[in-house]
Amino acid sequence: MNNIPPNEAKISSQAVASFANTPDPRLRQIVQGLVHHLHAFASEVELTEEEWLHGIRFLTDTGKMCDGVVRQEFILLSDVIGLSMLVDAINHRASEDVTETTVFGPFYMTGMPERGHGESMALTPGQPALVQGRVLDAQGEPISGAVLDVWQSAENGMYSGQDPAQPLANLRGRYRTDDQGRFAIRTILPVSYPIPTDGPVGRLLQATNRHAWRPAHLHFMVKAERHRTLVTHLFNHDDPYLESDVVFGVKDSLKVVYEPCQTDHPLAVRYDFTGPFSLASYDFVLERA
Protein backbone atom coordinates (compact mmCIF):
# COMPACT_ATOMS: atom_id res chain seq x y z
CA MET A 1 0.00 0.00 0.00
CA ASN A 2 1.74 3.15 -1.24
CA ASN A 3 -0.66 5.88 -0.16
CA ILE A 4 -1.33 5.74 3.56
CA PRO A 5 -4.50 7.63 4.56
CA PRO A 6 -3.68 10.81 6.55
CA ASN A 7 -5.36 9.61 9.75
CA GLU A 8 -3.33 6.38 9.72
CA ALA A 9 -0.10 8.23 9.00
CA LYS A 10 -0.90 10.59 11.90
CA ILE A 11 -1.27 7.66 14.31
CA SER A 12 2.13 6.32 13.28
CA SER A 13 3.92 9.66 13.55
CA GLN A 14 2.37 10.33 16.95
CA ALA A 15 3.43 6.90 18.22
CA VAL A 16 7.02 7.47 17.11
CA ALA A 17 7.08 11.00 18.56
CA SER A 18 5.78 9.79 21.93
CA PHE A 19 9.22 8.31 22.63
CA ALA A 20 11.13 11.48 21.74
CA ASN A 21 11.92 12.31 25.37
CA THR A 22 13.55 8.96 26.16
CA PRO A 23 16.69 9.99 28.14
CA ASP A 24 18.97 7.24 26.79
CA PRO A 25 19.74 8.20 23.15
CA ARG A 26 20.42 4.62 22.06
CA LEU A 27 17.18 3.36 23.62
CA ARG A 28 15.35 6.23 21.94
CA GLN A 29 16.81 5.28 18.56
CA ILE A 30 15.89 1.61 18.97
CA VAL A 31 12.34 2.15 20.25
CA GLN A 32 11.47 4.81 17.69
CA GLY A 33 12.94 2.71 14.87
CA LEU A 34 11.02 -0.34 16.04
CA VAL A 35 7.70 1.52 16.26
CA HIS A 36 8.29 3.17 12.87
CA HIS A 37 8.98 -0.13 11.09
CA LEU A 38 6.17 -2.02 12.85
CA HIS A 39 3.67 0.62 11.77
CA ALA A 40 5.10 0.57 8.23
CA PHE A 41 4.74 -3.22 8.15
CA ALA A 42 1.13 -3.09 9.34
CA SER A 43 0.31 -0.48 6.71
CA GLU A 44 2.14 -2.33 3.93
CA VAL A 45 0.31 -5.64 4.43
CA GLU A 46 -2.92 -3.96 5.60
CA LEU A 47 -3.03 -6.07 8.74
CA THR A 48 -6.51 -7.18 9.77
CA GLU A 49 -7.69 -7.23 13.38
CA GLU A 50 -7.96 -11.02 13.25
CA GLU A 51 -4.37 -11.32 11.95
CA TRP A 52 -3.13 -8.91 14.62
CA LEU A 53 -4.78 -11.02 17.37
CA HIS A 54 -3.35 -14.18 15.85
CA GLY A 55 0.12 -12.60 16.00
CA ILE A 56 -0.39 -11.65 19.66
CA ARG A 57 -1.40 -15.22 20.48
CA PHE A 58 1.62 -16.56 18.56
CA LEU A 59 4.03 -14.41 20.59
CA THR A 60 2.24 -15.34 23.82
CA ASP A 61 2.60 -19.03 22.99
CA THR A 62 6.26 -18.48 22.14
CA GLY A 63 6.88 -17.04 25.61
CA LYS A 64 5.07 -19.94 27.26
CA MET A 65 7.44 -22.41 25.57
CA CYS A 66 10.51 -20.84 27.22
CA ASP A 67 11.56 -22.73 30.34
CA GLY A 68 14.44 -20.50 31.46
CA VAL A 69 16.94 -23.39 31.38
CA VAL A 70 17.20 -25.14 28.01
CA ARG A 71 14.21 -24.28 25.84
CA GLN A 72 14.32 -20.70 24.49
CA GLU A 73 11.60 -20.47 21.88
CA PHE A 74 12.23 -16.76 21.19
CA ILE A 75 15.83 -17.49 20.20
CA LEU A 76 14.51 -20.31 18.02
CA LEU A 77 12.07 -17.87 16.41
CA SER A 78 14.84 -15.33 15.86
CA ASP A 79 16.95 -18.08 14.30
CA VAL A 80 14.40 -19.34 11.77
CA ILE A 81 13.53 -15.85 10.49
CA GLY A 82 17.22 -15.09 9.95
CA LEU A 83 17.35 -12.30 12.53
CA SER A 84 19.96 -14.06 14.68
CA MET A 85 22.36 -14.39 11.76
CA LEU A 86 21.76 -10.77 10.68
CA VAL A 87 22.56 -9.47 14.18
CA ASP A 88 25.59 -11.75 14.23
CA ALA A 89 26.82 -10.33 10.91
CA ILE A 90 26.27 -6.72 12.03
CA ASN A 91 28.24 -7.28 15.23
CA HIS A 92 31.16 -9.17 13.69
CA ARG A 93 32.38 -7.07 10.80
CA ALA A 94 35.93 -8.18 11.58
CA SER A 95 38.68 -6.39 9.71
CA GLU A 96 41.21 -9.10 10.59
CA ASP A 97 41.48 -12.54 9.07
CA VAL A 98 39.69 -14.29 11.93
CA THR A 99 37.35 -17.25 12.28
CA GLU A 100 33.81 -16.47 11.21
CA THR A 101 30.98 -16.50 13.72
CA THR A 102 27.53 -18.04 13.55
CA VAL A 103 24.40 -18.34 15.70
CA PHE A 104 24.60 -19.11 19.41
CA GLY A 105 21.56 -21.37 19.32
CA PRO A 106 19.02 -22.10 22.07
CA PHE A 107 20.68 -25.12 23.75
CA TYR A 108 23.77 -23.77 25.51
CA MET A 109 24.11 -24.60 29.22
CA THR A 110 26.46 -23.01 31.76
CA GLY A 111 28.44 -24.85 34.39
CA MET A 112 29.54 -27.79 32.25
CA PRO A 113 32.55 -29.90 33.34
CA GLU A 114 36.17 -28.88 32.87
CA ARG A 115 37.73 -31.57 30.68
CA GLY A 116 41.34 -32.53 30.10
CA HIS A 117 43.21 -32.53 26.79
CA GLY A 118 41.66 -35.27 24.66
CA GLU A 119 39.12 -36.30 27.29
CA SER A 120 35.86 -37.74 25.94
CA MET A 121 32.70 -35.74 26.50
CA ALA A 122 30.47 -38.48 25.08
CA LEU A 123 28.39 -40.32 27.68
CA THR A 124 26.04 -41.85 25.10
CA PRO A 125 26.85 -44.07 22.08
CA GLY A 126 27.90 -42.78 18.69
CA GLN A 127 30.58 -43.03 16.04
CA PRO A 128 33.84 -42.10 17.84
CA ALA A 129 35.51 -38.90 16.69
CA LEU A 130 38.42 -36.65 17.57
CA VAL A 131 38.44 -32.91 16.90
CA GLN A 132 41.83 -31.25 17.27
CA GLY A 133 43.52 -28.01 16.33
CA ARG A 134 44.86 -24.77 17.70
CA VAL A 135 43.62 -21.40 18.90
CA LEU A 136 45.64 -18.57 17.35
CA ASP A 137 45.65 -14.78 17.26
CA ALA A 138 45.33 -12.83 14.01
CA GLN A 139 49.12 -12.86 13.59
CA GLY A 140 49.22 -16.65 13.75
CA GLU A 141 50.65 -16.84 17.25
CA PRO A 142 49.26 -19.59 19.54
CA ILE A 143 47.05 -18.59 22.47
CA SER A 144 47.65 -20.70 25.57
CA GLY A 145 44.97 -21.12 28.21
CA ALA A 146 42.08 -20.31 25.83
CA VAL A 147 38.81 -21.90 26.94
CA LEU A 148 36.72 -23.83 24.42
CA ASP A 149 33.17 -24.36 25.65
CA VAL A 150 31.82 -27.16 23.44
CA TRP A 151 28.38 -28.72 23.00
CA GLN A 152 26.57 -30.90 20.47
CA SER A 153 23.52 -33.10 20.05
CA ALA A 154 23.51 -36.85 20.63
CA GLU A 155 22.93 -39.46 17.93
CA ASN A 156 19.16 -39.05 18.40
CA GLY A 157 19.47 -35.37 17.40
CA MET A 158 18.69 -34.05 20.88
CA TYR A 159 20.83 -32.13 23.37
CA SER A 160 21.28 -32.94 27.03
CA GLY A 161 18.76 -30.95 29.01
CA GLN A 162 16.39 -31.21 26.06
CA ASP A 163 16.42 -35.03 26.29
CA PRO A 164 15.72 -36.25 29.87
CA ALA A 165 17.33 -39.62 29.10
CA GLN A 166 20.77 -38.02 28.69
CA PRO A 167 23.08 -37.01 31.57
CA LEU A 168 23.29 -33.22 31.70
CA ALA A 169 27.03 -33.26 31.01
CA ASN A 170 26.66 -35.45 27.93
CA LEU A 171 28.42 -34.04 24.88
CA ARG A 172 29.29 -30.85 26.72
CA GLY A 173 32.53 -29.65 28.23
CA ARG A 174 35.12 -26.92 28.72
CA TYR A 175 38.55 -27.58 27.21
CA ARG A 176 41.70 -25.46 27.49
CA THR A 177 44.57 -24.98 25.06
CA ASP A 178 48.10 -25.98 26.04
CA ASP A 179 51.23 -23.81 25.80
CA GLN A 180 51.24 -24.24 22.02
CA GLY A 181 47.58 -23.27 21.67
CA ARG A 182 46.57 -26.84 20.94
CA PHE A 183 43.31 -28.54 21.91
CA ALA A 184 41.90 -32.05 21.49
CA ILE A 185 38.28 -33.09 22.02
CA ARG A 186 37.16 -36.68 21.98
CA THR A 187 33.47 -36.95 21.08
CA ILE A 188 31.13 -38.64 18.58
CA LEU A 189 30.48 -37.70 14.97
CA PRO A 190 27.84 -34.91 14.85
CA VAL A 191 24.54 -35.70 13.13
CA SER A 192 21.87 -33.69 11.34
CA TYR A 193 18.78 -32.96 13.42
CA PRO A 194 15.47 -31.07 13.27
CA ILE A 195 14.94 -28.13 15.59
CA PRO A 196 12.00 -28.59 18.02
CA THR A 197 8.71 -28.39 16.15
CA ASP A 198 6.30 -28.96 19.04
CA GLY A 199 5.80 -25.23 19.65
CA PRO A 200 4.81 -22.08 17.75
CA VAL A 201 8.04 -22.01 15.73
CA GLY A 202 7.24 -25.50 14.46
CA ARG A 203 3.75 -24.37 13.49
CA LEU A 204 5.26 -21.43 11.60
CA LEU A 205 7.57 -23.72 9.63
CA GLN A 206 4.71 -26.08 8.79
CA ALA A 207 2.43 -23.25 7.67
CA THR A 208 5.16 -21.84 5.41
CA ASN A 209 6.23 -25.22 3.97
CA ARG A 210 9.78 -25.07 5.35
CA HIS A 211 11.77 -28.00 6.71
CA ALA A 212 13.15 -27.93 10.27
CA TRP A 213 16.60 -29.49 9.73
CA ARG A 214 20.03 -28.28 10.76
CA PRO A 215 23.19 -29.76 9.22
CA ALA A 216 25.47 -31.75 11.52
CA HIS A 217 27.68 -29.46 13.59
CA LEU A 218 29.67 -28.96 16.76
CA HIS A 219 29.13 -25.76 18.81
CA PHE A 220 32.06 -23.72 20.12
CA MET A 221 32.37 -20.68 22.35
CA VAL A 222 36.05 -19.77 22.52
CA LYS A 223 37.34 -17.28 25.11
CA ALA A 224 40.81 -15.86 25.72
CA GLU A 225 42.12 -12.81 27.54
CA ARG A 226 42.40 -9.64 25.44
CA HIS A 227 40.40 -11.24 22.60
CA ARG A 228 36.78 -11.12 21.51
CA THR A 229 34.74 -14.16 22.45
CA LEU A 230 34.09 -16.34 19.41
CA VAL A 231 30.77 -18.17 19.03
CA THR A 232 30.74 -20.50 16.06
CA HIS A 233 30.09 -24.02 14.70
CA LEU A 234 32.08 -26.60 12.80
CA PHE A 235 29.91 -28.25 10.14
CA ASN A 236 30.37 -31.70 8.61
CA HIS A 237 31.47 -30.85 5.06
CA ASP A 238 29.24 -33.44 3.36
CA ASP A 239 25.97 -32.90 5.20
CA PRO A 240 22.87 -32.76 2.92
CA TYR A 241 21.41 -29.75 4.75
CA LEU A 242 24.36 -27.38 4.34
CA GLU A 243 22.59 -25.37 1.63
CA SER A 244 19.23 -25.22 3.42
CA ASP A 245 20.06 -24.83 7.11
CA VAL A 246 16.79 -23.80 8.79
CA VAL A 247 18.61 -21.05 10.75
CA PHE A 248 20.89 -19.85 7.88
CA GLY A 249 24.02 -20.47 9.97
CA VAL A 250 26.37 -22.21 7.51
CA LYS A 251 29.54 -20.52 6.22
CA ASP A 252 32.01 -22.18 3.88
CA SER A 253 34.97 -21.43 6.15
CA LEU A 254 33.36 -23.44 8.96
CA LYS A 255 33.10 -26.74 7.07
CA VAL A 256 35.43 -29.54 8.20
CA VAL A 257 36.23 -32.97 6.84
CA TYR A 258 36.09 -35.94 9.20
CA GLU A 259 38.73 -38.38 7.95
CA PRO A 260 38.21 -42.10 8.72
CA CYS A 261 41.02 -43.54 10.88
CA GLN A 262 41.87 -47.04 12.03
CA THR A 263 43.51 -48.32 15.22
CA ASP A 264 46.97 -48.12 13.61
CA HIS A 265 46.68 -44.31 13.39
CA PRO A 266 49.26 -42.55 15.64
CA LEU A 267 46.47 -40.74 17.53
CA ALA A 268 44.56 -43.95 18.33
CA VAL A 269 46.85 -44.95 21.17
CA ARG A 270 47.33 -41.39 22.44
CA TYR A 271 43.58 -40.86 22.86
CA ASP A 272 42.63 -44.45 23.72
CA PHE A 273 40.64 -45.35 20.61
CA THR A 274 40.14 -49.13 20.46
CA GLY A 275 38.37 -49.11 17.09
CA PRO A 276 37.85 -46.95 14.00
CA PHE A 277 37.27 -43.22 14.55
CA SER A 278 36.87 -40.01 12.58
CA LEU A 279 39.38 -37.16 12.76
CA ALA A 280 38.75 -33.47 12.07
CA SER A 281 41.30 -30.66 12.41
CA TYR A 282 40.60 -26.94 12.63
CA ASP A 283 42.43 -23.82 13.81
CA PHE A 284 40.41 -21.03 15.42
CA VAL A 285 41.69 -17.47 14.92
CA LEU A 286 40.51 -14.91 17.47
CA GLU A 287 40.05 -11.17 17.00
CA ARG A 288 41.69 -8.72 19.40
CA ALA A 289 39.28 -7.17 21.86
Side-chain angles (χ1 to χ4, degrees):
M1 183 175 181
N2 295 322
N3 298 316
I4 301 174
N7 65 315
E8 296 174 21
K10 182 179 179 181
I11 292 169
S12 297
S13 62
Q14 286 178 330
V16 172
S18 71
F19 295 98
N21 294 325
T22 303
D24 185 321
R26 177 59 175 164
L27 178 60
R28 180 170 64 248
Q29 179 187 16
I30 291 173
V31 174
Q32 287 191 313
L34 175 65
V35 172
H36 167 76
H37 287 288
L38 280 176
H39 280 246
F41 157 74
S43 295
E44 178 185 343
V45 302
E46 296 189 304
L47 201 65
T48 69
E49 291 179 331
E50 182 180 356
E51 290 163 344
W52 173 75
L53 281 171
H54 189 79
I56 294 294
R57 295 189 190 103
F58 176 82
L59 293 176
T60 301
D61 290 344
T62 300
K64 289 178 179 179
M65 288 297 295
C66 302
D67 63 15
V69 180
V70 175
R71 186 67 178 264
Q72 228 305 350
E73 194 79 358
F74 269 110
I75 290 181
L76 204 61
L77 175 60
S78 176
D79 289 349
V80 303
I81 63 175
L83 182 59
S84 298
M85 279 304 298
L86 177 59
V87 173
D88 176 81
I90 291 168
N91 284 271
H92 295 92
R93 295 166 178 162
S95 57
E96 299 174 292
D97 186 16
V98 298
T99 300
E100 291 190 283
T101 57
T102 191
V103 292
F104 189 70
F107 298 115
Y108 173 73
M109 293 178 66
T110 60
M112 290 298 102
E114 295 280 341
R115 300 196 186 275
H117 188 84
E119 179 183 344
S120 177
M121 65 177 188
L123 305 176
T124 52
Q127 182 178 333
L130 179 70
V131 180
Q132 66 172 5
R134 297 176 297 165
V135 177
L136 310 171
D137 65 18
Q139 286 70 49
E141 295 297 319
I143 301 175
S144 65
V147 177
L148 298 92
D149 210 335
V150 190
W151 66 104
Q152 72 177 96
S153 69
E155 268 206 329
N156 64 0
M158 299 180 74
Y159 290 82
S160 69
Q162 177 192 17
D163 176 8
Q166 295 181 40
L168 278 180
N170 186 43
L171 295 167
R172 299 179 185 270
R174 289 164 55 85
Y175 294 82
R176 295 180 185 269
T177 56
D178 65 13
D179 291 343
Q180 300 301 312
R182 296 171 300 197
F183 67 88
I185 301 161
R186 183 168 170 174
T187 183
I188 59 174
L189 194 67
V191 298
S192 310
Y193 65 84
I195 63 170
T197 56
D198 57 339
V201 171
R203 297 200 303 269
L204 174 64
L205 293 178
Q206 184 177 22
T208 54
N209 197 30
R210 287 180 57 191
H211 75 68
W213 285 82
R214 294 220 64 201
H217 61 275
L218 192 59
H219 290 264
F220 286 86
M221 180 164 62
V222 187
K223 295 184 177 182
E225 290 185 2
R226 300 182 296 279
H227 293 82
R228 291 190 70 180
T229 296
L230 170 68
V231 174
T232 195
H233 300 358
L234 292 184
F235 295 93
N236 300 25
H237 84 287
D238 56 353
D239 192 277
Y241 295 104
L242 288 171
E243 301 303 321
S244 61
D245 181 9
V246 67
V247 306
F248 315 101
V250 178
K251 297 178 180 179
D252 287 341
S253 67
L254 303 178
K255 298 175 185 177
V256 293
V257 177
Y258 284 86
E259 299 284 357
C261 301
Q262 302 300 320
T263 52
D264 59 352
H265 193 283
L267 295 177
V269 173
R270 185 187 305 177
Y271 296 112
D272 197 29
F273 286 102
T274 58
F277 64 99
S278 298
L279 173 64
S281 298
Y282 192 88
D283 291 345
F284 294 101
V285 182
L286 303 188
E287 181 183 8
R288 274 281 183 178

